[in-house]
Amino acid sequence: MAPPHVVVDGSNLATEGRTLPSLAQLDEAVEAFAAEHPGVTITVVVDASFPHRIDPGERDAYEAEAASGAIVSPPAGAIGRGDGFLLQIADRTHGVVLSNDSFQEFHGTYDWLFDPGRLVGAKPVPGVGWIFSLRTPVRGERSRRAVKEAAEPVKTPRRVAEAIREASADALAPDAAKRRRRAKAAPGAVNDPDPFVRFVATHPPGTEVEGRVDAYASHGAFVEVDGVRAYVPLAALGEPPPASAREALQKGEARRFVVQAVDAPRRGVELALPEFAHVSGAPSPETVEAGIREGSERTKRRRRQRKAAKERARTAKAPRKAKGPGKAKEPRKAKAPRRAAAGRSPKAEKPARPAKKAEKPPKKAAQKVANRTKRAAATEVAKEQPVQAPPEPPARPGKRRRPR
């Protein structure tokens, strides 16, 4: 029987118990395993960011081992952050995987990871050396989702049919279809365009950055770094992942992170702790979901702020300009006397007008006084004259009889 093939997760063993990977630690682990299992074929796989994260003094040694084939790395942009490349080698060679990772996102594809003897863990013990033991992958939410998706092949035809319908819609009404697809894919953006573009240009995936933990989320934490709001999923905080981001990060603390992926449609950035980083061309589902929620909340906040600003502008009264102190009016200057024309004598001053006579009472008032005086005199005369009896009326003549 041919000796078994062992595929080593180099990035995982190089960061075991460390913040940054070490090529020397990886070489010690491989030599210790080869000494315990002579005759095995060993393939060491590291991710694409490994040479950028090791100590600069070890890069020449890494280049030499990579050139000799002792270390291999997946092609740039490989799906699965390098883990898929490693498991594909182990699947084709029916080999054993030497790693402390559980590869939860691949449980639906490579179920042989749960077979006895197919997964081996490694741990350095001070004063003893490397200890290797058989282990079983840890199941979790990502594992259950991967198994469920693998058990539902009926979704593939549906996705193909949806793609055909979208392509037809693009051909008939390209603008409307693009708007619908864009609205469906990216309901909101986590960051503004300018800081996001600057961040991606200066910090490509695989580089280390320093950020401050800003807030916790249900499946991770948000980190502020260089004016950009990034997300750290739970899977990037430990292996196995912690139950909450509070177990690995403290709010407000500054930590070193690795740019793990970029979510361009939502202008999001995925970070990871250096010892658990797996650089990938696509963000994890947790980051995508967190970006959608954060973008929607950001859009709602901006709408509320714009509405409040309009309400304040509508209700606020423009302050009236205070009137400045008026200019004091200068007293009018006395007119200078006119000069006498040449050859003319100055005019004599007019004599002062005589004082006005006492005002006469109005005519109506005098007439009323005269009428009252007349009535009073007539009354006195009537009192002095005797009262005469009225004359008797004349006798009425009798009627004459007509002779018969």
Side-chain angles (χ1 to χ4, degrees):
M1 183 177 180
H5 194 105
V6 177
V7 184
V8 180
D9 187 355
S11 300
N12 183 270
L13 296 187
T15 55
E16 180 63 34
R18 302 173 57 90
T19 302
L20 295 176
S22 170
L23 180 63
Q25 178 172 296
L26 175 59
D27 292 339
E28 291 176 2
V30 173
E31 291 174 2
F33 188 85
E36 290 187 12
H37 304 82
V40 299
T41 302
I42 298 177
T43 301
V44 181
V45 180
V46 296
D47 56 46
S49 66
F50 184 82
H52 303 287
R53 294 187 290 126
I54 59 177
D55 188 87
E58 297 180 335
R59 290 178 183 173
D60 293 339
Y62 169 81
E63 294 295 339
E65 293 186 17
S68 64
I71 295 179
V72 297
S73 62
I79 297 174
R81 303 175 299 181
D83 293 344
F85 181 73
L86 181 151
L87 294 177
Q88 190 174 4
I89 296 174
D91 183 64
R92 290 190 179 184
T93 59
H94 302 284
V96 176
V97 178
L98 180 60
S99 174
N100 296 322
D101 195 355
S102 293
F103 309 101
Q104 292 190 24
E105 60 268 35
F106 297 97
H107 287 179
T109 306
Y110 302 110
D111 54 355
W112 49 260
L113 285 168
F114 295 89
D115 294 344
R118 296 301 295 271
L119 186 62
V120 178
K123 190 78 174 179
V125 179
V128 178
W130 283 86
I131 301 298
F132 305 97
S133 58
L134 298 177
R135 57 186 295 265
T136 302
V138 177
R139 294 186 182 274
E141 180 62 27
R142 298 168 67 186
S143 172
R144 289 189 289 271
R145 184 166 55 249
V147 173
K148 183 179 179 181
E149 290 179 357
E152 295 179 355
V154 71
K155 287 187 176 181
T156 303
R158 292 180 182 175
R159 292 175 181 173
V160 174
E162 290 177 0
I164 294 174
R165 284 196 297 271
E166 289 183 0
S168 301
D170 286 344
L172 297 175
D175 295 338
K178 288 179 182 178
R179 285 196 298 270
R180 287 195 303 270
R181 187 166 60 253
R182 184 163 56 247
K184 180 180 179 181
V190 181
N191 296 288
D192 292 329
D194 291 343
F196 175 75
V197 172
R198 288 196 299 269
F199 182 88
V200 174
T202 55
H203 303 291
T207 57
E208 287 195 7
V209 295
E210 184 173 351
R212 181 182 59 83
V213 181
D214 181 63
Y216 297 118
S218 57
H219 299 288
F222 285 98
V223 176
E224 297 288 342
V225 49
D226 291 349
V228 171
R229 189 172 177 83
Y231 186 75
V232 186
L234 293 178
L237 296 176
E239 185 59 41
S244 172
R246 292 178 175 84
E247 299 179 6
L249 301 175
Q250 293 182 1
K251 191 174 180 179
E253 71 169 334
R255 294 286 296 272
R256 299 289 297 178
F257 298 93
V258 174
V259 180
Q260 189 166 252
V262 174
D263 186 8
R266 278 156 289 275
R267 296 199 290 269
V269 178
E270 181 179 280
L271 303 179
L273 292 178
E275 59 269 27
F276 304 108
H278 297 279
V279 180
S280 172
S284 63
E286 290 84 356
T287 301
V288 174
E289 184 179 355
I292 292 174
R293 288 197 303 268
E294 184 68 13
S296 300
E297 291 297 328
R298 185 168 179 263
T299 302
K300 291 178 181 178
R301 285 196 300 270
R302 288 192 169 185
R303 288 177 180 174
R304 289 195 296 267
Q305 291 173 357
R306 287 196 296 265
K307 185 177 180 181
K310 289 181 180 179
E311 186 67 20
R312 287 194 298 269
R314 186 178 64 83
T315 56
K317 294 182 179 179
R320 296 181 178 179
K321 294 183 179 179
K323 293 184 178 179
K327 294 183 179 180
K329 293 184 179 180
E330 297 180 358
R332 293 184 179 181
K333 294 182 180 179
K335 292 183 180 181
R338 295 181 181 179
R339 293 182 181 178
R344 296 181 183 179
S345 59
K347 294 182 179 180
E349 295 182 358
K350 294 182 179 180
R353 293 181 180 180
K356 292 183 179 181
K357 296 181 180 180
E359 295 183 357
K360 298 180 179 180
K363 292 183 178 180
K364 291 184 178 181
Q367 186 66 30
K368 289 182 179 180
V369 172
N371 292 341
R372 284 199 296 270
T373 304
K374 288 180 179 180
R375 285 197 296 272
T379 304
E380 291 295 331
V381 171
K383 288 181 179 180
E384 293 178 357
Q385 293 180 0
V387 179
Q388 298 179 2
E392 295 181 358
R396 186 175 181 183
K399 293 182 180 181
R400 293 181 181 181
R401 292 184 179 182
R402 185 177 295 179
R404 293 180 183 183

